[in-house]
Amino acid sequence: MTKTRSKNRRNPSKNHDLSVFDFSPEDERIEKSSKKLLQTFKIQKRNKVHSPVDKYCFLRCFAGEISSTQNDPVIEILHIDDSDDVAEKNILESGSTVASRSSNLKPSTDDWLCHLESKCDTSGAKSHITRVKTPECSITDGKNFGRRDFADNEPVILDLDDATEVESSKAPCCLLENKGSGNQQELMQSPNLCDTKVPVVVKPDHIMYEDTYSTSSILTFSCSSIKLEGSFGMKLPFTSEWTLCDIITINSEWCKSVETALVELYLKSKDSDVANTDNESSGAIVLTFALFDPDWSEIQEAIKMLNVRYKDKWNNITALDPTRSYSPFFGRKSISVEEHDHPNSRDNFEEIIFPEGDPDAVSISKRDVDLLKPKTFVNDTIIDFYIMYLKNKMNLEEKGRFHFFNSFFFRKLADLDRDPSKACEGRAAFLQVRRWTTKVNLFGKDFIFIPVNFSLHWSLIVICHPGEVVTFREEEMEKSSRVPCILHMDSIRGSHKGLKNLIQRYNPFFVALTHKVE
Amino acid sequence: MAEGSRKFIKLKIKAQDDTILHFKVNPSTIMKDIFMSYSSKKQMMNYKVFRFFFDGKRLSPKKTVNELGLKNGDEIDAMIHQDGGGSACNY
């Protein structure tokens, strides 16, 4: 009890120190300049499109330069084996042809070309060890160039998807090289070529498979099979694999406005022996996924290049396709946008419960989705849904570090609806919400998020490192990276100013909780 | 079965102004029915203007009292829905 009181005594000074986290003119200046910086990035990214012809010219010069500057090693090899010289030139030439051809294929990505080029050279180097020297030079040069180019033009972080996507480009590259130089045929026709094709791995944001869905599954397209790994609903981790013969159709739809691809895979079910190719929907499993990736077209090309079968079965469809009855994104729980929402038939559309089976699940209806239109207010369901959505994307370990309250917690805690003169008693407010957190140890969390709604405006309160309150000493403030504090993030500065005081007044809520934990 | 259906449990629904309404329900009652009767008592046409919470958990209108694990004497919070906007950052 004495402990609690001493903490109380310490609180006012702490609150005083928290003024560091308030907005000040200084902050605004910093934010402005950072905004400017970000804008320059944006512009750079947009202007990034170079003409493929320019690129070709550049690469030709580039290749030419290498052959002139690397003259010495060429001559060195020359007197070892005469015939190799010709082939060597071919490599360089083919390098540039590949570059030019692939630039026609994907004119927008510069760094791709470099990767392609270096890949070609690598394959050349593998098969003709005597010629290692020259290609190697161009590999390193090509890579350096690629890196430079990347650093200059592309402030994008390459993630796993991109990396594999680039790797898988080996396949188209090889084929093109084949056309470019005739004397390398034997390399192309090696039987184990298939194994060298790197599978394309996609991590869709959402997969619907049979009756369940998943947000954390991985889909691997390799040259012989499609593999699905992940956890579905409340079931155990799940793996399934289909050979290419099982593919009936692949429908791919690109929604440009949201940069998301919606793909339906019709696969032959393993149980049914009868191939029912006439009717796509019967006897087939439908696997649909949605993937947010601005570079989907490249991933798509990479998958198609893995095997001809992908290419044969691939249909690109548009959203306006009249043959489609539903959107793969919502699967059978479709929210039909065209559906006329009559005021009296408010129950005729289906709700989506997310995440299904979770006690904290939020059910979201068409009416809520409509609130996402411009110039409308967002309601609590949307806020809570989005919090659940973000939470669902985290892995288990991360989830343990955070706690998210729903959007009503603050209202209940601050007791905004009652007579303000009565609502000052923190203890009473704490009792209101005590049962909400009985199963959660709030002081074991790193961050606690509290959405706040007041006077038709949303803001967010973040309580950082509440656990440190017990042991934290103010002298350590500068050294420690875990400073217990409360941040209030409000997009309209000052609009929720009064509430900040409320939060500070509700510090007893945390003291009371500490008491319980101890 | 016959015995089970005769067993009623009492639920309290507490509004934001601390007024409490008592409901006597069957464990197999769908929550939506309770919500609708609460809303009509509050002179609301649509139960969807309220959100119902038990221990901070949203109660789904589609589930039954039993499915949600509500016990005799449990207190449900009824809150009016919240709307709000934000501000686009226009620096």
Side-chain angles (χ1 to χ4, degrees), chain A residues 31 347 360 377-381 384 406-408 411-412 417-418 435-436 453 456-458 491-492, chain B residues 16 18 32 45-46 48 51 53-58 77 79-87 91:
Chain A
E31 270 182 51
D347 281 330
D360 276 324
F377 281 149
V378 175
N379 73 1
D380 53 282
T381 313
D384 286 343
N406 69 34
S407 52
F408 286 93
R411 182 160 284 263
K412 196 87 180 151
D417 307 291
R418 260 197 294 181
R435 277 183 300 135
W436 289 41
N453 177 265
L456 294 179
H457 176 59
W458 289 100
S491 61
I492 303 177
Chain B
Q16 277 158 290
D18 283 355
K32 191 178 154 188
M45 294 299 286
N46 185 357
K48 287 191 175 172
R51 310 278 187 260
F53 296 89
F54 177 65
D55 283 358
K57 304 245 181 299
R58 271 172 191 255
D77 293 310
M79 314 278 276
I80 289 188
H81 70 102
Q82 304 183 110
D83 282 324
S87 151
Y91 282 105

Side-chain angles (χ1 to χ4, degrees), chain A residues 142-160:
Chain A
K143 269 188 183 163
N144 283 340
F145 162 69
R147 266 188 217 129
R148 232 183 303 126
D149 192 71
F150 180 76
D152 287 346
N153 283 329
E154 202 133 3
V156 190
I157 301 154
L158 269 180
D159 61 11
L160 180 79

Side-chain angles (χ1 to χ4, degrees), chain A residues 369-474:
Chain A
V369 175
D370 284 345
L371 298 177
L372 294 173
K373 286 174 186 163
K375 293 177 185 172
T376 50
F377 281 149
V378 175
N379 73 1
D380 53 282
T381 313
I382 298 286
I383 298 283
D384 286 343
F385 170 81
Y386 191 61
I387 288 172
M388 292 312 288
Y389 173 76
L390 292 177
K391 200 173 153 187
N392 207 47
K393 287 204 147 196
M394 293 184 205
N395 60 40
L396 217 69
E397 198 184 311
E398 277 182 322
K399 260 184 211 172
R401 291 179 56 209
F402 305 107
H403 184 76
F404 299 92
F405 280 108
N406 69 34
S407 52
F408 286 93
F409 174 80
F410 187 79
R411 182 160 284 263
K412 196 87 180 151
L413 171 74
D415 230 355
L416 295 172
D417 307 291
R418 260 197 294 181
D419 184 8
S421 62
K422 269 200 283 175
C424 329
E425 290 158 46
R427 184 83 193 161
F430 166 66
L431 289 172
Q432 290 267 349
V433 285
R434 191 188 47 183
R435 277 183 300 135
W436 289 41
T437 53
T438 40
K439 283 173 194 161
V440 193
N441 175 14
L442 284 181
F443 286 84
K445 305 283 178 190
D446 284 351
F447 296 99
I448 300 169
F449 295 87
I450 308 173
V452 177
N453 177 265
F454 184 64
S455 64
L456 294 179
H457 176 59
W458 289 100
S459 65
L460 179 72
I461 290 168
V462 187
I463 299 169
C464 310
H465 309 297
E468 303 294 308
V469 171
V470 186
T471 52
F472 189 75
R473 283 172 211 287
E474 275 171 40

Side-chain angles (χ1 to χ4, degrees), chain B residues 53-66:
Chain B
F53 296 89
F54 177 65
D55 283 358
K57 304 245 181 299
R58 271 172 191 255
L59 298 178
S60 163
K62 284 181 185 169
K63 298 228 163 117
T64 66
V65 175
N66 218 4

Side-chain angles (χ1 to χ4, degrees), chain A residues 5-279:
Chain A
R5 214 175 295 135
S6 69
K7 234 163 274 142
N8 264 333
R9 231 183 296 128
R10 231 195 295 156
N11 274 333
S13 60
K14 196 162 290 151
N15 292 343
H16 181 71
D17 286 329
L18 285 175
S19 61
V20 179
F21 300 103
D22 288 348
F23 278 108
S24 67
E26 182 69 5
D27 291 342
E28 195 182 20
R29 197 177 56 78
I30 291 166
E31 270 182 51
K32 258 186 187 167
S33 58
S34 72
K35 192 86 186 174
K36 254 183 221 161
L37 272 173
L38 282 173
Q39 265 168 0
T40 52
F41 269 130
K42 264 183 209 155
I43 290 157
Q44 261 193 12
K45 205 183 162 188
R46 251 174 231 150
N47 291 348
K48 214 194 66 181
V49 186
H50 295 290
S51 157
V53 183
D54 291 350
K55 205 73 214 172
Y56 173 56
C57 292
F58 176 71
L59 281 168
R60 204 168 51 175
C61 296
F62 182 66
E65 206 178 79
I66 285 164
S67 55
S68 60
T69 52
Q70 303 294 331
N71 256 339
D72 295 355
V74 172
I75 292 159
E76 244 174 70
I77 299 161
L78 230 173
H79 55 78
I80 296 167
D81 192 344
D82 253 347
S83 62
D84 274 346
D85 181 43
V86 188
E88 205 164 30
K89 273 181 186 156
N90 266 332
I91 289 177
L92 288 171
E93 265 168 33
S94 70
S96 55
T97 7
V98 169
S100 69
R101 275 169 198 241
S102 46
S103 71
N104 290 333
L105 212 71
K106 286 122 203 152
S108 59
T109 38
D110 314 340
D111 53 314
W112 251 62
L113 297 179
C114 307
H115 278 279
L116 283 176
E117 201 193 25
S118 60
K119 282 277 149 52
C120 294
D121 290 342
T122 329
S123 54
K126 260 186 216 157
S127 59
H128 305 272
I129 303 150
T130 44
R131 268 190 257 127
V132 137
K133 248 183 179 166
T134 315
E136 212 168 42
C137 292
S138 64
I139 288 169
T140 47
D141 281 347
K143 269 188 183 163
N144 283 340
F145 162 69
R147 266 188 217 129
R148 232 183 303 126
D149 192 71
F150 180 76
D152 287 346
N153 283 329
E154 202 133 3
V156 190
I157 301 154
L158 269 180
D159 61 11
L160 180 79
D161 299 353
D162 292 42
T164 44
E165 170 209 324
V166 169
E167 296 228 296
S168 63
S169 65
K170 202 190 254 187
C173 168
C174 289
L175 288 172
L176 287 164
E177 190 181 11
N178 196 2
K179 285 178 199 164
S181 57
N183 64 338
Q184 304 225 346
Q185 293 257 345
E186 79 284 356
L187 175 78
M188 298 298 101
Q189 282 159 0
S190 61
N192 61 344
L193 179 71
C194 188
D195 300 336
T196 62
K197 287 185 187 176
V198 180
V200 179
V201 180
V202 287
K203 265 179 99 172
D205 302 299
H206 181 277
I207 297 187
M208 280 284 295
Y209 173 63
E210 290 180 324
D211 284 339
T212 53
Y213 76 96
S214 168
T215 50
S216 55
S217 296
I218 299 169
L219 206 56
T220 312
F221 293 90
S222 67
C223 50
S224 58
S225 66
I226 300 175
K227 203 170 158 189
L228 174 68
E229 291 168 282
S231 52
F232 274 78
M234 305 306 277
K235 287 180 213 160
L236 291 166
F238 170 88
T239 313
S240 195
E241 197 162 355
W242 296 271
T243 60
L244 292 193
C245 307
D246 291 335
I247 304 174
I248 299 169
T249 330
I250 300 172
N251 291 334
S252 162
E253 178 185 335
W254 175 244
C255 300
K256 205 179 172 193
S257 54
V258 288
E259 294 190 318
T260 300
L262 306 170
V263 183
E264 291 174 303
L265 299 168
Y266 285 93
L267 302 160
K268 263 179 224 167
S269 122
K270 280 168 197 162
D271 310 323
S272 69
D273 297 326
V274 190
N276 207 340
T277 42
D278 301 333
N279 192 347

